[in-house]
Amino acid sequence: MSHGFDTLAIHAGQDPEARTGAVIPPIYQTSTYAQDAVGAPRQGYEYSRSGNPTRDALQECLAALEGGPVGLAFASGLAAEDTLLRAACKPGDHVVIPDDAYGGTYRLFAKVAERWGLAYTPAKVSDVDAVRAAIRPGVTRIVWVETPTNPLLGIADIAALAAVAHDAGALLVVDNTFASPYLQQPIALGADVVVHSTTKYVGGHSDVVGGALVAADRGLGEELRFHQNAMGAVNGPFDAWLTLRGIKTLGVRMDRHCDNAERIAAYLDGHAKVGQVIYPGLPSHPGHEVAAKQMRRFGGMISFRAAGGEEHAVEICNQAKLFVLAESLGGVESLIEHPGRMTHASAAGSPLEVPGDLVRLSVGIETVDDLLADLEQALG
Ligand SMILES: Cc1ncc(COP(=O)(O)O)c(C=O)c1O
């Protein structure tokens, strides 16, 4: 029987525990497991890097929410990305990446994977022809997209890019961190692997760092599982438990994030102290139609250009009070940041450099009038 999203978020992988009936999956804070005889581990559990029941519960839930056969939980989003790259690529291969990828993802490609022999080309993922042109036939192994992108909220047409990638014999990888599986399910649109920084909306409470991969194909999923164990960047039991606790409310949180973001985007749009407002829910956003086609709603992230330039953008970030000045996103509390000097500083001087007058908001689930009042005083 198939269930709705919120039912899966609360129950998938989370049956009451067999021994005691504990309704919540226990935190199996153990590194190893007693074996009944040599070569006879109980229910396959032998060592927690290879398998842990709390992590298994999270993995099963993530797979159910993204609609793939295999879900895997990692120590961070970047650990998940690194594991995927090394499982799917070898030195000499090529990857197409977004021209406004998350700075840490860009750094992984530019400073780590390239040294290891993996070439990459940044392309505008909202432009299907640009992605097609960036592919090197026979060499490109992955077309990697974020949608919406971080921080410019570009929208990639997942179904169209899946066709482009598959025509070239490449995999389509979608970083679904900004949307969360509640708003967008890339596998149903043709993606081969979904990536998450579960640190963000999936965990949702800014109290745990984690990452995830969900594969559309069981064979690829098992390959990724092998690398998860062989490389070792696993999610710990307590972190997995915290993430699962957050996941239960993902649907209701996302709806409130979207409600608040829609109100704030409308307020900023046309404000005298604000230049361009970048929010996929605004009809003026160039990706609005594609976003409306592939997303349930438009998410909780808003970027905008400060009318007074870079110093004004920095001042807005410094003046905000309820919006906490901090990196990261996707928690219940609202955050504000200056991407050029904070999250995306590692992209300075590269093709992925972001505009200096850009401010990024992660709109939380507080009372929206309080958030609007804080922005009004911060804009100066
Ligand atoms: C879109 C996106 N992908 C991946 C990551 C990396 O995740 P983590 O910080 O959990 O390693 C981030 C972090 O901000 C992100 O925003």
Side-chain angles (χ1 to χ4, degrees), residues 89-257:
C89 302
K90 59 183 183 331
D93 287 345
H94 172 255
V95 177
V96 179
I97 64 165
D99 71 353
D100 63 341
Y102 163 60
T105 296
Y106 175 67
R107 185 177 54 205
L108 177 65
F109 282 101
K111 299 272 163 55
V112 181
E114 193 179 46
R115 261 180 42 195
W116 174 73
L118 189 67
Y120 66 94
T121 304
K124 198 173 209 47
V125 295
S126 56
D127 180 345
V128 176
D129 291 332
V131 172
R132 192 185 287 109
I135 288 177
R136 298 187 193 163
V139 186
T140 300
R141 186 70 188 116
I142 292 178
V143 173
W144 184 294
V145 304
E146 289 174 18
T147 182
T149 58
N150 180 4
L152 291 169
L153 303 174
I155 300 294
D157 185 332
I158 297 172
L161 291 176
V164 167
H166 295 159
D167 273 355
L171 299 171
L172 181 70
V173 171
V174 177
D175 184 332
N176 204 24
T177 298
F178 267 40
S180 89
Y182 179 69
L183 297 181
Q184 174 172 278
Q185 292 178 316
I187 288 175
L189 297 164
D192 299 288
V193 183
V194 174
V195 175
H196 276 285
S197 168
T198 55
T199 316
K200 312 295 169 8
Y201 289 107
V202 169
H205 295 76
S206 304
D207 53 9
V208 61
V209 171
L213 299 175
V214 180
D217 170 78
R218 184 166 289 283
L220 176 59
E222 293 308 329
E223 187 67 18
L224 295 171
R225 195 193 304 279
F226 170 83
H227 278 78
Q228 180 194 41
N229 179 46
M231 292 173 63
V234 292
N235 197 247
F238 184 50
D239 288 0
W241 185 88
L242 278 173
T243 305
L244 258 185
R245 188 183 206 261
I247 282 184
K248 290 176 192 292
T249 56
L250 179 60
V252 290
R253 283 189 283 108
M254 289 315 296
D255 272 327
R256 177 64 88 88
H257 283 294

